[in-house]
Amino acid sequence: MEYDHILIRYGELALKGKNRKKFVEKLQQNVQQKLTEFPDVKVKRTQGRMFILLNGNDPQPIMDKVRNVFGIHSLSLAIKVENDLEKMKEAAYYALTNAEKSKTFKVTVKRINKGFPVRSQELNQILGGYLLSNTNSYTVNVHSPDVEVRVEIRAEATYITSSVVRGAGGLPVGTSDKTLLLLSGGIDSPVAGYLAMKRGVQIEAIHFESPPFTSDRAKQKVLDLAEKLTKFGPSIKVHVVPFTKLQQRIFQETPDGYGMTVMRRMMLRISEKVCQNEGILSLTTGENLGQVASQTMTSMNTINEVTNYPIIRPLVTMDKDEIIEISKAIDTFDISIRPYEDCCTIFVPKAPKTKPKRDRVNYYESKFNYEELIKEAIDGIEVIKINDKKVEEDVFEGLF
Ligand code: ATP
Ligand code: MG
């Protein structure tokens, strides 16, 4: 006997009707997509539950992949047996004796199939008694057992589980519309992308690079960050924008520490155009109140003037250490702290304005023809599709 299934429990029970159906179908798709390298593993649904059929595969690597899929509340290894008392006993014994460091247990029977002739309460006692008399070192503790052997009797079969592993929570990616994540090489923006994905949002990313002032390694850093994010959802398209010319021009034309603000506004203008071309409805950034000059309330207000697309800022009120904690947990931190600089760090004026006013910025921008340069930057965009584990390079020429 061995574990032959993984049982997936999904939360968000408040979801009803059509939403729920869409949610569950998307979740099943996302789980399937994470398991393409295991061709004989199947993902099935029955009344309010989802199962992975292991078909002889080692459960651990599969569990590790599926744990990261948003929309899953918890997971358990399960044994499927016929609705037969002797088989249940055997499976319960396996589940208990294979659980980690357990001394106490309880049995919980759920009889969803009311046609099964023995009632739950009685079955608890029969199975508990069987386990006690066939083992030496276990005792029953109904209030806080080390292991809960759960027995779910369904129409088609009985599923027996013991340990419960926490899932990633959230909503399945793709149950909400897409957002365009402004992805720098820093600590914050990948975390912002992760949090958007957690609420079901699928992402594309946009990155502004300024070669030769920024290196290929700075770009690689961004692609590596995007790859980390694919752990939590489908493949990610990264739009890499050649920003050098526009950026140099901005800093020539803009006095008084306003260059940074104009640069951010140009980023938003270009991002909005990409959204229009891709049918994306919002932008997401790693902005956070009060960290640096570009992120004061005045600055956000002035930067925000150029777009009426919603800007999602999942980190806006978080503390830096909370952000770092998440970035470590999702494994982007070590990539983010690689020392290669992005375009912002290089061009940033020594004393950027902390309170850049809208009228001043509009005045500076009116002095030069940035529309041409924006168009040129957009024409030069390179699109790189990042798949889970491997990076595929695709250049879509003449897309815009
Ligand atoms: P991060 O850690 O994400 O770089 P930060 O604290 O360095 O953020 P800023 O440099 O002010 O903050 O950038 C604010 C946000 O602007 C970033 O979180 C990101 O969403 C976006 N951004 C900055 N630089 C770039 C870039 N080169 N390409 C794409 N987006 C960028
Ligand atoms: Mg940064």
Side-chain angles (χ1 to χ4, degrees):
M1 182 160 284
E2 62 180 0
Y3 286 116
D4 48 11
H5 285 64
I6 294 172
L7 167 61
I8 294 176
R9 301 182 194 83
Y10 35 88
E12 302 281 344
L13 286 171
L15 287 169
K16 294 202 187 81
K18 253 164 91 185
N19 272 345
R20 190 179 169 90
K21 187 158 178 267
K22 188 174 141 196
F23 170 105
V24 178
E25 281 170 4
K26 196 75 209 172
L27 180 60
Q28 184 177 16
Q29 247 176 42
N30 293 353
V31 171
Q32 261 155 356
Q33 203 166 36
K34 281 288 160 237
L35 299 177
T36 45
E37 66 192 86
F38 307 97
D40 28 293
V41 167
K42 298 274 175 293
V43 185
K44 291 244 159 94
R45 278 189 280 139
T46 61
Q47 316 148 309
R49 285 272 189 267
M50 201 173 293
F51 292 100
I52 298 173
L53 275 66
L54 293 169
N55 277 328
N57 283 275
D58 177 6
Q60 204 49 53
I62 294 170
M63 198 73 145
D64 289 344
K65 286 230 146 194
V66 176
R67 278 178 77 164
N68 292 319
V69 176
F70 287 127
I72 296 178
H73 190 75
S74 68
L75 304 123
S76 293
L77 287 169
I79 307 171
K80 181 181 180 180
V81 294
E82 291 155 40
N83 292 341
D84 170 277
L85 191 53
E86 292 311 309
K87 297 262 164 59
M88 288 178 197
K89 285 178 182 169
E90 229 180 290
Y93 177 85
Y94 179 87
L96 176 63
T97 54
N98 281 279
E100 267 174 49
K101 56 173 174 62
S102 49
K103 290 241 172 316
T104 62
F105 74 95
K106 79 168 180 183
V107 177
T108 310
V109 174
K110 240 193 182 168
R111 198 174 51 124
I112 294 147
N113 169 11
K114 300 290 181 214
F116 190 77
V118 190
R119 286 169 168 266
S120 303
Q121 204 42 44
E122 200 181 326
L123 260 178
N124 277 339
Q125 280 163 10
I126 294 173
L127 293 173
Y130 176 83
L131 293 175
L132 283 174
S133 55
N134 284 278
T135 56
N136 306 321
S137 52
Y138 296 96
T139 54
V140 171
N141 179 341
V142 286
H143 298 297
S144 64
D146 297 333
V147 183
E148 186 176 353
V149 177
R150 298 189 201 206
V151 178
E152 249 185 57
I153 306 172
R154 299 184 154 268
E156 75 286 1
T158 295
Y159 296 90
I160 294 171
T161 62
S162 61
S163 51
V164 179
V165 176
R166 233 177 108 176
L171 297 169
V173 177
T175 49
S176 171
D177 284 307
K178 264 192 198 167
T179 196
L180 183 65
L181 171 68
L182 279 78
L183 185 59
S184 68
I187 293 171
D188 301 335
S189 41
V191 174
Y194 163 82
L195 291 172
M197 291 169 90
K198 185 165 185 194
R199 294 313 294 168
V201 180
Q202 191 181 342
I203 62 173
E204 290 192 16
I206 186 167
H207 175 67
F208 297 86
E209 63 162 0
S210 297
F213 305 102
T214 59
S215 67
D216 269 350
R217 282 184 291 190
K219 175 176 167 187
Q220 191 55 47
K221 201 173 151 183
V222 170
L223 300 180
D224 291 348
L225 288 169
E227 191 194 318
K228 285 287 176 195
L229 293 178
T230 63
K231 260 204 310 200
F232 306 99
S235 55
I236 297 174
K237 251 162 119 179
V238 183
H239 303 257
V240 182
V241 186
F243 203 44
T244 318
K245 243 173 117 177
L246 181 54
Q247 209 173 16
Q248 283 179 314
R249 190 68 192 281
I250 292 166
F251 285 96
Q252 273 165 21
E253 300 285 347
T254 319
D256 303 338
Y258 269 81
M260 163 91 112
T261 312
V262 176
M263 181 180 83
R264 290 269 185 250
R265 286 162 58 111
M266 296 299 169
M267 284 184 178
L268 288 191
R269 289 185 172 107
I270 292 171
S271 301
E272 190 186 290
K273 290 245 161 53
V274 171
C275 284
Q276 284 162 0
N277 287 323
E278 299 282 316
I280 298 173
L281 300 180
S282 70
L283 305 171
T284 296
T285 73
E287 285 167 300
N288 177 254
L289 258 179
Q291 258 187 17
V292 286
S294 67
Q295 300 188 16
T296 62
M297 192 75 85
T298 317
S299 172
M300 269 186 213
N301 178 287
T302 298
I303 292 167
N304 225 130
E305 188 186 11
V306 302
T307 180
N308 59 14
Y309 274 48
I311 301 181
I312 299 170
R313 299 181 173 94
L315 313 184
V316 76
T317 60
M318 286 171 97
D319 289 345
K320 191 73 189 181
D321 47 354
E322 294 175 280
I323 299 170
I324 288 176
E325 199 179 309
I326 300 176
S327 91
K328 286 183 173 161
I330 65 173
D331 209 21
T332 53
F333 184 76
D334 288 341
I335 301 173
S336 294
I337 60 172
R338 287 183 204 158
Y340 315 114
E341 308 204 90
D342 70 13
C343 60
C344 301
T345 343
I346 287 167
F347 282 89
V348 166
K350 295 215 170 42
K353 269 270 174 283
T354 52
K355 291 188 175 298
K357 301 290 181 330
R358 286 186 174 195
D359 52 356
R360 290 284 291 281
V361 179
N362 282 312
Y363 173 72
Y364 294 136
E365 284 181 354
S366 71
K367 294 283 179 198
F368 72 108
N369 183 5
Y370 57 81
E371 288 296 347
E372 273 296 301
L373 291 164
I374 284 187
K375 189 172 178 311
E376 206 180 311
I378 289 173
D379 286 342
I381 287 179
E382 176 192 8
V383 181
I384 299 169
K385 193 173 174 196
I386 309 290
N387 288 326
D388 192 1
K389 277 278 168 298
K390 68 177 193 302
V391 177
E392 249 180 24
E393 187 131 352
D394 264 287
V395 185
F396 299 111
E397 273 163 346
L399 188 66
F400 299 105

